[in-house]
Amino acid sequence: MIRRLLSLVAACTLVVFASTPAFAQGGGTSSSISGTVVDTSGGAIPGATVEAKNSGTGALFTAVSSGTGTFNIPAVPSGTYTVTVTLQGFKTAVLNGVVVTAAQPANVTAKLEVGGVSETVVVEGASAVIQTQATSVTATINVKQIESLPLTSRNVIDFLTFMPGVNVQSSNRNANVNGLPGSAVNITLDGVNIQDNTNKSSDGFFTIVQPRTDAIEEVSITGAAGGASDGQGAITVKFVTRSGTNNYTGSAYEYWRSDKFNENTWFNKRDNVAKAKLKQLQTGMRFGGPIWVPGLFQGQNKAFFFFNVENFYQPTELTRTRTVLTTNSQAGVFSYVTSTGVRSVNLLSLAAANGQLATVDPTIAQLLADIRTATGTTGSLTDSTNPLYQSYSYNSSQKSNNWFPTLRVDFNFGKNHKLSSVYNHDIFDTKPDGATNGFDPTFPGFPNFGSQTSKRISVSNSLRTVVTTNLVNEARFAVQGSPVLFFPEQESATPWNSSVANQKGFQLALNGGISNASTGPTPSSREASTKVIENTLTWLRGAHSLSMGGGMTQVDLWLKNQTF
């Protein structure tokens, strides 16, 4: 089944008498630096030159204070900046440590003292403590906090459970914010939505592309009073990928978990089942810096790259409990409990004595025999309170091997043009898919199972252009595609015609309270690809700023489901 869903979102934002314009209607990663230039008595100083320099990349952004002393630098990438304010007849003011995040613009006040331009007054930690530029309620976790918090999954989406207003229900993927449904949440990575839009209503916190701990610069969540820049959702979550800087930096790591450090569960001990095996290896590295081609190109202050790759390898076991017939029941003896004890009757003998069919269907008889044989290979059998059944417990194997590469490049084409591109390509391979969807073999050695594989891609490109001294444009084009294959092994009749657990090409329902020999044949696949086009134009005039923007998000939904 193929369905096409087209969502067109257009937004125009008019901001007058404000110094913080709206950017990136779908959830972009830029913000702004605004403020006021005053003298020591608090009087406004017009005509001052304001330069904001990114501490990591050296990218330079400029503005001039208005007649009321205010200034605004729109479409600034998140990061830490040094703001320098100069004017003839005054000492130069240098404001260090101005922090800009994707969800919260920065606001500073520069006080100029009378003196020579060559004299400098340095202010550390110049960002305003109280946010006065936006009405939204936003919380942000930066890279230092991300690296410091322990997280076995290394999926940064799981950090959101620590954020204010986030309520976790049965699992992180179906959490909600402020009690709102999952469909109200919009999660973006560098401006492109990365949610599974086929399950957004129930799994609003589940992302197809999974942001990794070492690849993310910051994550912010806006839970109330979001503006036009907060995109398409009552709750917006913005992830920003790390970028390279003028210094080469990197790291390598390996995290290891083993069942050797675990105790067996009480239930396994009770049922005489061995401790489930677990081996989890998370290996990766990151590296970034200026792009340098010996003898050809030196990228200091011009071009940067960042690369991160991580592998998640986890062979493990899942403890399963099945219900099977006792040997007597399998031979046709029906047992039942009375007030005087357990009574039994041989149904096959009874049928023969009455001239009725007195043999078990050969396919069913062989299937029950295969189940009985499988229960003797591993695990344990325990008698049930019902004399017809036994409970069978054993450990079923599963292996996941997932890759998470990320690449980002940034180019500064002079002072007027800045281009950023981010590429993610997650590869998932889980066989069998037991933990998530229960498609591991029903009994040891049985051929019927289902795997889950997918290749999940997101690409985001943004271009900031200074058209004139008072006109700035920011454009973004981004795509996300994530085809997922569920249980492709079940598209063939082979598992139902095997020498073991042969069901003659059919899925046989044994009923009667016992476990079937296999899971149902339900192969499927789907993809909800996303395309995003956005543009924001900001016009600065005096103490005012006028921002106009538009965005289009297109979601194409492709489904292939089993039909009868």
Side-chain angles (χ1 to χ4, degrees), residues 370-442:
D370 288 344
I371 291 175
R372 174 59 57 176
T373 300
T375 61
T377 60
T378 185
S380 66
L381 284 164
T382 56
D383 291 332
S384 172
T385 55
N386 189 323
L388 293 175
Y389 307 129
Q390 286 181 303
S391 180
Y392 173 60
S393 298
Y394 76 105
N395 292 325
S396 176
S397 298
Q398 172 183 291
K399 183 172 71 174
S400 296
N401 189 18
N402 306 331
W403 288 90
F404 306 94
T406 298
L407 175 64
R408 172 171 176 162
V409 291
D410 297 270
F411 297 94
N412 298 329
F413 301 103
K415 293 183 179 180
N416 294 335
H417 306 284
K418 304 186 187 302
L419 174 68
S420 295
S421 295
V422 185
Y423 177 74
N424 289 275
H425 191 146
D426 295 357
I427 301 173
F428 287 77
D429 185 7
T430 300
K431 184 182 295 184
D433 184 11
T436 302
N437 291 302
F439 271 80
D440 50 321
T442 309

Side-chain angles (χ1 to χ4, degrees), residues 8-14 22-27 227-232 533-537 547-553:
L8 178 63
V9 179
C12 291
T13 303
L14 180 64
F23 302 104
Q25 310 302 319
S229 63
D230 291 314
Q232 306 158 23
I533 300 176
E534 299 173 343
N535 194 82
T536 302
L537 183 66
S547 288
M548 295 171 287
M552 182 188 78
T553 297

Side-chain angles (χ1 to χ4, degrees), residues 7 93 115 129 159 260 275 436 439 478 480 520:
S7 172
V129 177
F159 280 120
K260 293 181 175 61
K275 179 173 59 178
T436 302
F439 271 80
Q480 182 255 111

Side-chain angles (χ1 to χ4, degrees), residues 14-21 72 538-541 543-547:
L14 180 64
V15 182
V16 185
F17 301 109
S19 58
T20 306
N72 182 71
T538 302
W539 179 36
L540 307 175
R541 183 172 179 82
H544 312 306
S545 62
L546 173 69
S547 288

